[in-house]
Amino acid sequence: VEFLYCDLASMKSIRQFVQQFREKNCPLHVLVNNAGVMLVPERKTEDGFEEHFGLNYLGHFLLTNLLLDTLKQSGTHSHNARIITVSSATHYVGKLHLNDLQSRCSYSPHGAYAQSKLALVLFTYRLQHLLTANGSHVTANVVDPGVVNTELYKHVFWVVKVVKWMTAWLFFKTPEEGASTTIYAAVSPEMEGAGGCYLYNEERTKSADVAYDEELQRRLWTESCKMVGISDEASRLP
């Protein structure tokens, strides 16, 4: 196991990481987008993005796009490279505000978090569409890990922390249990060649209706490219 440093809240760090990884000339068979913050107070990343949107979504958007060529080169007809992005059931109540993705008009920790998780689902579906259109041997799926007992909840109200402490053993998954669907998406033979799926408890399920809006997927993709400073070649595809 070898570790390379990457701060998903920093576009500079992401680009440096990708450069370091490419210099190793290694194949890339599985990419898991799993970093995240939840319910943080209003604050910005070093690039000026609202933290939920910047770290949870834009960081993964840029990282995935910069690694796509390597993923495409690593996948084969019989063994596709796989991209797994971790979202949340919170996306079901999320609303994507294309005119205010940074939540400048009205900031709500819950709203910003839910928006970032919805954006990840929209991104995954659009990405799979583009991969299929290009005939790439790469699949993209999105995972809901469930309610997992981790430090992700450190910014919730103190009463919720107490309730969590008292009931986690009964209602929360362990980190190992929470990772099971991500691992399933990454290595299961049943998922070979399958993309554009929303997975929960190792089963394909339906995401929020709005996530299937192809026009919204396209618009978010285009806006995301502008925000992170990469070419939107996908805009020329249907």
Side-chain angles (χ1 to χ4, degrees), residues 2 12 17 25 39 46 61 71 80 82 107 127 135 139 146 151 169 173 180 193-194 222 233:
E2 182 178 355
K12 180 181 178 181
F17 164 81
N25 199 29
L39 307 184
E46 67 177 45
F61 179 87
L71 285 157
N80 283 203
R82 304 186 187 189
Y107 181 77
L127 176 59
T139 59
E151 290 300 309
W169 64 275
K173 293 182 178 181
S180 64
T222 298
E233 298 179 1

Side-chain angles (χ1 to χ4, degrees), residues 6 10-19 21-22 28 31 58-73 83 123 127 221 228-231:
C6 182
S10 165
M11 302 294 116
K12 180 181 178 181
S13 177
I14 294 168
R15 292 180 183 276
Q16 289 175 338
F17 164 81
V18 171
Q19 181 179 350
F21 180 79
R22 284 176 174 169
L28 179 58
L31 172 64
L58 286 177
H60 292 118
F61 179 87
L62 178 62
L63 178 67
T64 302
N65 273 278
L66 294 181
L67 291 172
L68 266 183
D69 285 344
T70 306
L71 285 157
K72 290 175 181 178
Q73 293 165 10
I83 301 168
F123 155 68
L127 176 59
W221 186 281
V228 301
I230 61 175
S231 173

Side-chain angles (χ1 to χ4, degrees), residues 204-223:
R204 304 179 199 190
T205 187
K206 188 175 181 295
S207 61
D209 289 340
V210 68
Y212 299 103
D213 186 331
E214 294 183 0
E215 177 61 22
L216 189 60
Q217 295 168 16
R218 281 193 290 266
R219 291 177 66 190
L220 174 63
W221 186 281
T222 298
E223 188 61 29

